[in-house]
Amino acid sequence: MKFDAKKIFINPYTISFVAAILLLFIIYKATFAWLNSYTNHGQELIVPDLVNMMPDKASELLEKQALKYEVIDSIYVKDKPLGAIAKQTPEAGAKIKEGRTIYLTVNSSTVRKVPMPDIREYSLRQAESMLHSVGLKVDSIVYVTSEFKDLVQSVKQKNMPIEVGMRIPEGSAVTLFVGRGLNNELCEVPSFRKLTLERATNMAHTSFLNIGKVIYNEEPIDDDEKAQYIVFKQEPVTASKVSMGSAIKLYMTKDLSLLETVEEIYYNDENPSEAKTEEEDLFK
């Protein structure tokens, strides 16, 4: 029997088979080309650090790198700039393909407000602890005549009364009006030497005093550097008798050589046996 190739190629089954193979090949090539284009095969970009950056600046930076972004959430973080980016996914340094989307969480553009707790008739120490627990702090203390000593009578901010439950910005400083009893008694000034400003403020409030003017021998560049300074001198000096609520002036430094001088301590002529100096303590 003679082989007839022409009949094979015009056979409808053969034509269908060949057409199917060609169609699969075309689909394969088209799919591969699409995947290669979608994933940018062989091209990787490093995700930039966008945290603390404002969204408009981040948009400009991402656009230059052929990346996109989408804001997916808003939170409040008090230590980050208002309106700035607080979180990003993927994180900075990750490797991604061109055209991918960076998902952003943005810090709230307004400071969160917290309700004023009821601290009336609480002791000063308790009241400060309650205020700190909700993100508020004490700016100063004013002592007023009252039947009971050391109990909070009222709270003000910039001379405006703050009622219980009133919402004020987190991190705000308030003034406490605290009872001093019926007598205008004096209190003794403690030594603030070698303390940071934060610790000195806490000690002042515990001693029924306020921190007044703070003088740095070299102006710190930011709050982080301020925290490194310690007290080397104060006015009034240690052991002085002053009215409750008086302001203490502090002199701050990072130069430890300034602490080599003997601390000034008030000498009480009426009770000389009780009066001491730092110099005397050194020889004990």
Side-chain angles (χ1 to χ4, degrees):
M1 184 176 180
K2 186 178 179 181
F3 175 75
D4 190 347
K6 184 177 180 181
K7 288 184 178 180
I8 294 176
F9 284 108
I10 64 173
N11 187 296
Y13 294 106
T14 303
I15 294 173
S16 298
F17 177 76
V18 172
I21 295 297
L22 288 173
L23 180 61
L24 288 173
F25 179 76
I26 292 170
I27 292 174
Y28 168 77
K29 294 295 289 183
T31 302
F32 182 80
W34 177 79
L35 286 173
N36 190 48
S37 174
Y38 179 75
T39 59
N40 293 303
H41 183 66
Q43 298 181 28
E44 287 187 330
L45 299 173
I46 304 298
V47 177
D49 187 358
L50 306 175
V51 174
N52 293 330
M53 189 179 296
M54 301 305 290
D56 57 343
K57 295 296 182 182
S59 176
E60 294 177 7
L61 178 60
L62 294 174
E63 187 176 344
K64 291 178 181 178
Q65 298 189 28
L67 295 172
K68 305 172 184 177
Y69 80 94
E70 181 181 339
V71 177
I72 59 172
D73 197 9
S74 176
I75 60 176
Y76 176 70
V77 184
K78 66 179 180 180
D79 297 327
K80 292 190 178 295
L82 297 179
I85 297 168
K87 297 179 183 179
Q88 66 179 81
T89 304
E91 296 182 351
K95 294 181 179 180
I96 61 173
K97 303 297 182 181
E98 182 180 310
R100 293 298 176 84
T101 300
I102 310 297
Y103 298 97
L104 306 177
T105 298
V106 178
N107 197 25
S108 174
S109 59
T110 58
V111 177
R112 181 173 63 187
K113 292 188 176 183
V114 296
M116 170 60 64
D118 188 358
I119 59 175
R120 292 171 302 182
E121 303 304 323
Y122 280 88
S123 70
L124 176 59
R125 184 182 295 274
Q126 289 175 303
E128 283 196 287
S129 178
M130 292 169 68
L131 290 172
H132 289 160
S133 70
V134 297
L136 300 175
K137 55 188 177 181
V138 177
D139 177 47
S140 59
I141 303 168
V142 176
Y143 286 92
V144 295
T145 302
S146 65
E147 183 178 358
F148 300 103
K149 181 181 176 181
D150 195 33
L151 297 184
V152 175
Q153 305 299 304
S154 62
V155 185
K156 289 186 178 181
Q157 185 184 41
K158 298 179 180 178
N159 294 322
M160 296 295 294
I162 305 296
E163 301 298 333
V164 176
M166 184 180 292
R167 303 185 73 87
I168 62 176
E170 183 177 356
S172 297
V174 299
T175 299
L176 299 185
F177 289 76
V178 180
R180 65 167 180 241
L182 299 176
N183 298 317
N184 189 18
E185 61 181 278
L186 302 178
C187 58
E188 185 174 295
V189 177
S191 172
F192 297 100
R193 195 171 170 91
K194 301 179 183 179
L195 298 182
T196 62
L197 181 57
E198 182 180 2
R199 291 183 59 194
T201 301
N202 292 336
M203 178 179 282
H205 291 173
T206 303
S207 303
F208 312 107
L209 299 168
N210 288 302
I211 297 300
K213 190 172 184 180
V214 178
I215 300 174
Y216 297 88
N217 67 328
E218 291 184 5
E219 194 63 30
I221 58 175
D222 54 30
D223 290 339
D224 288 336
E225 188 176 9
K226 279 185 179 181
Q228 301 173 25
Y229 281 68
I230 58 175
V231 179
F232 72 93
K233 183 181 177 182
Q234 67 185 67
E235 296 175 3
V237 300
T238 301
S240 300
K241 296 287 186 178
V242 298
S243 299
M244 296 172 68
S246 295
I248 309 299
K249 181 188 292 186
L250 299 180
Y251 296 82
M252 314 291 293
T253 187
K254 290 196 300 182
D255 183 1
L256 298 183
S257 67
L258 294 177
L259 298 172
E260 295 175 1
T261 59
V262 176
E263 181 183 6
E264 294 181 68
I265 299 178
Y266 178 75
Y267 185 83
N268 188 344
D269 291 327
E270 295 180 0
N271 297 289
S273 61
E274 296 179 4
K276 299 178 182 179
T277 66
E278 186 179 278
E279 188 173 25
E280 290 173 339
D281 289 338
L282 292 175
F283 293 96
K284 281 191 174 182

